[in-house]
Amino acid sequence: AQKITQTQPGMFVQEKEAVTLDCTYDTSDQSYGLFWYKQPSSGEMIFLIYQGSYDEQNATEGRYSLNFQKARKSANLVISASQLGDSAMYFCAMREGGWTGNQFYFGTGTSLTVIP
Amino acid sequence: GAVVSQHPSRVICKSGTSVKIECRSLDFQATTMFWYRQFPKQSLMLMATSNEGSKATYEQGVEKDKFLINHASLTLSTLTVTSAHPEDSSFYICSGEGPVGEQFFGPGTRLTVL
């Protein structure tokens, strides 16, 4: 089974609107971390947001928020007030094994295009 | 966030030559660094986990004799692609591990083997 599933290969959003990028994960660990990264056309992977499995509140970082639904094993990224510079590939990732584990899994990515 | 640099950013070489890629954590110490390769429009594929002062752990299917990894200090890991062939052409990205297990990535190295 896939550890990280991103079902949206491509998404379009109007500038200034919000968009949700889906991510579901599969793990039997109790302690894990969930991450979102942005990869613009330059290729660099930019860390956006982190959610720990024991965090009760959804993580937020500026215009990014992570909609964490543990029972459903989903960790969707919400980008509010989209900007043209948000056009990029977005990868969901998971780290298993708590603080000492080093199993890190990436999803296949979602290509987001912001339309002016 | 933490900064990771990679050098070179782009390299073109002839088939049969070796290429060394450096990965440096500039403002933090990375006990663990990771090396990935990424093909166009695909996700990152983990090649190996590099631990400072010990041998790298390679993922299944990655030839350790072809992709030599050295992690001699807490801020530097190197990947050497030995006897490169055109099929080794790819985008290679390194990352250093942060305090909550997040990975901070370098800008990547685009390798083209002629």
Side-chain angles (χ1 to χ4, degrees):
Chain A
Q2 291 287 335
K3 286 287 186 179
I4 295 287
T5 302
Q6 292 180 255
T7 57
Q8 307 154 313
M11 289 281 287
F12 293 86
V13 64
Q14 204 74 39
E15 191 178 8
K16 299 181 184 177
E17 292 188 351
V19 63
T20 298
L21 306 183
D22 294 342
C23 173
T24 57
Y25 59 93
D26 180 30
T27 182
S28 57
D29 283 9
Q30 295 300 310
S31 180
Y32 52 90
L34 297 158
F35 307 84
W36 277 92
Y37 289 87
K38 171 184 178 182
Q39 187 179 41
S41 56
S42 62
E44 184 171 4
M45 294 285 283
I46 302 167
F47 168 65
L48 295 178
I49 197 166
Y50 162 78
Q51 178 87 41
S53 58
Y54 293 117
D55 295 340
E56 294 186 353
Q57 290 192 330
N58 287 342
T60 59
E61 288 287 346
R63 294 186 299 111
Y64 304 108
S65 61
L66 199 151
N67 185 0
F68 182 45
Q69 298 190 32
K70 197 170 183 176
R72 297 179 58 186
K73 292 190 175 178
S74 74
N76 299 339
L77 176 71
V78 180
I79 305 175
S80 62
S82 297
Q83 301 173 355
L84 296 178
D86 294 334
S87 295
M89 282 290 290
Y90 288 82
F91 292 96
C92 179
M94 175 177 68
R95 175 191 172 97
E96 285 184 320
W99 298 99
T100 59
N102 61 6
Q103 293 298 311
F104 209 89
Y105 304 94
F106 282 91
T108 52
T110 296
S111 176
L112 176 66
T113 303
V114 180
I115 304 166
Chain B
V3 180
V4 175
S5 71
Q6 262 183 262
H7 179 79
S9 58
R10 186 181 295 269
V11 58
I12 302 172
C13 68
K14 291 183 179 180
S15 185
T17 60
S18 294
V19 175
K20 180 186 282 189
I21 303 170
E22 292 186 349
C23 177
R24 294 182 184 272
S25 56
L26 299 184
D27 54 359
F28 71 106
Q29 292 184 330
T31 305
T32 303
M33 286 184 165
F34 303 88
W35 287 95
Y36 295 84
R37 67 186 298 182
Q38 184 182 29
F39 293 105
K41 301 190 185 301
Q42 294 189 23
S43 189
L44 279 69
M45 183 188 79
L46 179 65
M47 297 175 66
T49 302
S50 169
N51 293 298
E52 187 266 337
S54 63
K55 289 184 179 180
T57 303
Y58 290 82
E59 295 299 301
Q60 193 172 9
V62 178
E63 300 174 59
K64 60 181 180 181
D65 294 331
K66 181 168 186 59
F67 298 100
L68 301 178
I69 291 172
N70 182 276
H71 194 159
S73 77
L74 288 172
T75 59
L76 173 65
S77 176
T78 60
L79 167 68
T80 302
V81 183
T82 62
S83 187
H85 287 94
E87 58 265 30
D88 299 325
S89 298
S90 189
F91 191 58
Y92 292 87
I93 311 176
C94 72
S95 68
E97 188 174 71
V100 295
E102 76 273 48
Q103 296 188 23
F104 296 103
F105 288 85
T109 297
R110 193 163 301 282
L111 171 64
T112 303
V113 185
L114 302 176

